[in-house]
Amino acid sequence: MTATSRSGTGTRRRVTTMRAAMAERFGGPEVVVVRDVPVPEPAADEVLVRVRASTVSIADHRMRAADLPRGLGFLRVVALGAFRPRKPILGMEAAGEVVAVGRDAAGFAPGDRVMVMRGSRMGCHAQFVTARAEGAVVRIPDAMSFEDAAALAFGGYTAISFLHQVALGPGVDVLVNGGSGAVGSSAIQLAAHAGARVTAVTSGRNADLVRSLGADRVIDYEREDFAAGDETWDVVVECVGNAPFTRVERVLKPGGTLLLVIADGPAMLREKGQSRRSGRRVTHEGTLFGKPVVERLVELAAAGAVRPVIDRTFELDDIVAAHRYVDTGRKRGAVVLRLP
Ligand SMILES: NC(=O)c1ccc[n+]([C@@H]2O[C@H](COP(=O)([O-])OP(=O)(O)OC[C@H]3O[C@@H](n4cnc5c(N)ncnc54)[C@H](OP(=O)(O)O)[C@@H]3O)[C@@H](O)[C@H]2O)c1
């Protein structure tokens, strides 16, 4: 099966190559180059998607730079590759149109507008990508732009996967550390939509943004240490990498939960013991994956409960600049990549 496109005369022609951004070795943003590569062939249970938008996320930075949290370096060869990225085409998520459907891929037709989350399979910084029809691919409403769908996917998927394991509702106090990032901006909205009282930790420049997403209270980390005061929370969503249980324990209510969206090796090793000993729950894992997550995300977005936060938009040819911006660690929400 091959992708097709319309030529100037209106006839269909086979497309066998595509443009893709590839990290051919580990290193800084400049290791990413745009190349012509073969269009992937969908398996019988897959669809082929013409990608219109993706994002450059912190995950792309981590893969490209081999930047793993402390104590997880031993995973590098297995997770990333020994001498160069094993998955050189980065990009965890895509929004685009279905152009071909495998014979066992039920539920999709050419022309469907979809959101795809490939996660660690990567490959979305390219003009075409495959998705297992039963996996994390879902149709998006006509009113949702490809850029918005792509911008929602990474942070929204992660936030839903983690927050699924806690009961949110009126009277529940939630703190989101790193409220202005891709994951934090989604977590604030999901918690607020569920009726929880949300505190967002961010720098002063992002105070208005997190308030607009539903935060009731904002803590500027440059002026105040959320873990040093008298206030306590039922749920702490850690999206920065500076709030392990040892720092957060005293502000986590008895029976509360620390969701370590980002954790280093030592924190992962200690979480079971800390949970047993403290009467609080510590976990670095999400609990919901695949299609149910993207379905829920699109449902929530269509209902207006979650909106994308787009910081900047880059064209594929400007991929190096996009990586450079993500590397600052200061992006707000998503950095969108448009595919030609
Ligand atoms: N476990 C998983 O499955 C999973 C999935 C996705 C992501 N992650 C991890 O989760 C983390 C967050 O991902 P992300 O995509 O949300 O990152 P991101 O979008 O790159 O986060 C950038 C944001 O972090 C904020 N920030 C930086 N230092 C801060 C601090 N000290 N306190 C509060 N906010 C701070 C910045 O705001 P200011 O400019 O205001 O400082 C910026 O808006 C990453 O480490 C990522 O690797 C894990």
Side-chain angles (χ1 to χ4, degrees), residues 62 154 158 180-183 203 205-206 221 239 261 330-331:
R62 290 195 183 285
F154 179 80
T158 307
S180 55
V183 182
S203 65
R205 74 185 190 120
N206 289 322
Y221 65 80
C239 308
V261 177
R330 307 301 302 269
K331 76 173 169 69

Side-chain angles (χ1 to χ4, degrees), residues 1 42-48 98 100-110 112 131-135 137 139 291:
M1 193 182 322
D45 62 345
E46 290 182 329
V47 294
L48 183 67
V98 171
V101 180
R103 80 172 171 272
D104 304 331
F108 293 95
D112 283 350
R132 224 164 40 80
E134 287 188 358
V137 52
R139 264 189 298 275
K291 196 181 284 290

Side-chain angles (χ1 to χ4, degrees), residues 118-131:
R118 277 177 57 100
S120 57
R121 290 172 68 211
M122 312 299 281
C124 296
H125 291 174
Q127 287 180 294
F128 294 93
V129 78
T130 58

